[in-house]
Amino acid sequence: MALITISGYPVSGKSTRSSQLSKYLEGKISEELYIGPFKSVTIVSDHSLGLSPTVYNDSTSEKPARGTIFTNLQRQLSVDSIVILDSLNYIKGFRYQIYCAAREIRLRTCTIHVVAPSELCQKWNSLRPIEEAYSKSTLENLIMRYEEPSSMVRWDAPLFTVLWSDNDIPGAQIWEAITSGNLKPPNAGTLSVAKAPTDALHVLEQTTNTMCSMIVAASSSQPEGGATSIIIGEAKVLVGLPPRIVTVSEMQRVKRQFVAIHKKAITLGTTERGGVHFGEANIARKFAEYIAEHIQQ
């Protein structure tokens, strides 16, 4: 039910802070009096995903690596766990993407900015084994491109800053943020758009064509107009006919307008949220309503 994003220079101590935070949160969850929703704490990191520092040497390898991080993060997000994302997270656009993924499933979020001077990061990097160290040029490039988190933007807030000289993390404040902080509902920009069925276009065309033929035939045998029943599959819909004969060209015009409107919804994914209603019966009912509004009496 919470996502904590760790951000900072490479080799600034992010993993150390993630470990400290994980131990603190696990202790809070295991307390005898705790009755909240959290059941586990998970750390998603470059190390846990087997990503070497060399993936940051160029954009060709870095972009797929970020994709791997994001995909695995999404798999871990749930309403009963705390997920700590321990990676560089140095691009504000990526932090916003992470924020949107969490907000979509109504998770509380916060960001921890791990601060250490660039000179100290370079020193610590030189003490690492070769296979775990960043190259000098990569480290300098990442530090130069780093986009610092800001408490003024919603995807970084609430923001907690931890200095290299601090002995521990502000566990109590972080715990309060992820348990009682503001829980913002997802907005239109973060909600998943419902997708239409793969055969929706075929069903749309077939259903409207069938109805057009049946309405023209019914109008010819019922020139006085009135309600007539149309059977489409297992659905029975009522269509109000005008007191005259409806022509084929007139029905084709109305059908083209109706199909154009709904084809756009299908192809662009702008269908109704929460469920897709492009079944044969529902299309028939909608088309009957459209006919009633657009056929001249």
Side-chain angles (χ1 to χ4, degrees), residues 188-216:
T190 59
L191 282 172
S192 295
V193 177
K195 299 291 181 67
T198 55
D199 64 342
L201 285 172
H202 173 73
V203 175
L204 178 64
E205 286 283 353
Q206 187 178 54
T207 303
T208 51
N209 278 331
T210 301
M211 287 187 66
C212 284
S213 300
M214 297 177 73
I215 289 169
V216 170

Side-chain angles (χ1 to χ4, degrees), residues 28-47:
K28 295 292 289 185
I29 293 173
S30 62
E31 288 180 355
E32 187 176 345
L33 297 178
Y34 178 68
I35 56 173
F38 297 133
K39 296 180 180 179
S40 63
V41 180
T42 302
I43 297 178
V44 176
S45 67
D46 290 13
H47 179 73

Side-chain angles (χ1 to χ4, degrees), residues 7-12 14 46 52-59 61-63 65-66 87-92 95 113 118 121-122 125 128 132-148:
S7 180
Y9 285 166
V11 206
S12 59
K14 297 185 299 300
D46 290 13
S52 166
T54 58
V55 301
Y56 296 100
N57 288 348
D58 56 70
S59 59
S61 57
E62 183 180 344
K63 288 181 179 179
R66 279 205 303 272
S87 186
L88 293 182
N89 302 318
Y90 71 99
I91 301 173
K92 61 183 178 182
R95 294 198 299 270
H113 184 197
S118 59
C121 294
Q122 291 170 343
N125 186 61
R128 283 185 165 188
E132 297 179 12
Y134 295 87
S135 69
K136 183 178 179 181
S137 59
T138 298
L139 181 62
E140 292 175 349
N141 184 41
L142 290 171
I143 290 174
M144 181 181 65
R145 291 163 52 201
Y146 184 74
E147 296 176 334
E148 189 172 311

Side-chain angles (χ1 to χ4, degrees), residues 4 15-31 40-43 82 84 168-169 171 175:
I4 302 171
S15 295
T16 298
R17 301 305 185 180
S18 296
S19 179
Q20 289 176 330
L21 180 58
S22 177
K23 291 178 181 177
Y24 178 86
L25 297 175
E26 287 173 347
K28 295 292 289 185
I29 293 173
S30 62
E31 288 180 355
S40 63
V41 180
T42 302
I43 297 178
I82 302 172
I84 301 172
D168 210 341
I169 43 91
W175 177 257

Side-chain angles (χ1 to χ4, degrees), residues 77-94:
L77 293 178
S78 67
V79 295
D80 61 356
S81 67
I82 302 172
V83 179
I84 301 172
L85 179 58
D86 172 22
S87 186
L88 293 182
N89 302 318
Y90 71 99
I91 301 173
K92 61 183 178 182
F94 185 57

